[in-house]
Amino acid sequence: MDAIRDPNEEIDATSPAWVFGGESVDALVAHIDAVLGCSCPVCIRHAEVHTAQSIITADGQQAEVDEVLAPLLEAMNNAGIRTTDSCQNLSEAVAQLWPERLPVLASDQSATVNYARTIATGNAFIRLRTNTAAERRFLDALARVEGVTTQQTSEVAQVDFPLTALLRLTELASNSAKEERA
Ligand SMILES: [Zn+2]
Ligand SMILES: [Zn+2]
């Protein structure tokens, strides 16, 4: 699930690309995969707070995600939208599993894509890639959904949303798939 995989925890934090504003994110994503997932308490013990479910990602990998988000993530990945991280309520997960980390995540807005708003609102979040037509179409459609905010660079986006928007977002993801095939 890697919900709180914070690149700064695993890799040289001085590397500018880790703020998701820099170059070569593909190389970084490959590196993340090579790290075999995040070993922080929020990732390792995540299922103690949010019930887990397996999904198959757009690139055919199995991933453990929060059960509540699974239908949306499946719809996104079926549409060719590549998701990388998500959590139904990161604030809650961090508060229970790694409380000393919470103030850092809540205040650090140095990266273009960050968790500060996610923590402040208690909303769900999903991170996704932004390069394919389906991904861009999904992000465009999100702009019209109330209560949903996005942070994005040319490579990565983070969508923050209240769980009340789940069905609407799942619909939009499915529509992205249909348009992709048309
Ligand atoms: Zn982690
Ligand atoms: Zn979670």
Side-chain angles (χ1 to χ4, degrees), residues 79 137 168-180:
R137 204 158 33 227
R168 182 71 188 120
L169 296 190
T170 306
E171 237 172 56
L172 292 176
S174 303
N175 289 343
S176 299
K178 286 174 196 150
E179 291 174 33
E180 186 73 1

Side-chain angles (χ1 to χ4, degrees), residues 144-160:
R144 298 189 291 274
V145 183
E146 194 175 345
V148 176
T149 60
T150 59
Q151 302 168 322
Q152 59 180 304
T153 71
S154 57
E155 300 276 355
V156 175
Q158 178 176 305
V159 181
D160 285 63

Side-chain angles (χ1 to χ4, degrees), residues 43 46 81:
C43 295
H46 202 89
I81 299 166

Side-chain angles (χ1 to χ4, degrees), residues 35-56:
V35 171
L36 293 176
C38 179
S39 58
C40 86
V42 178
C43 295
I44 295 289
R45 298 173 49 207
H46 202 89
E48 295 176 24
V49 180
H50 297 148
T51 305
Q53 183 176 322
S54 288
I55 64 159
I56 303 298

Side-chain angles (χ1 to χ4, degrees), residues 3 46 50 66 86-89 93:
H46 202 89
H50 297 148
D66 290 350
S86 60
C87 182
Q88 70 189 61
N89 185 337

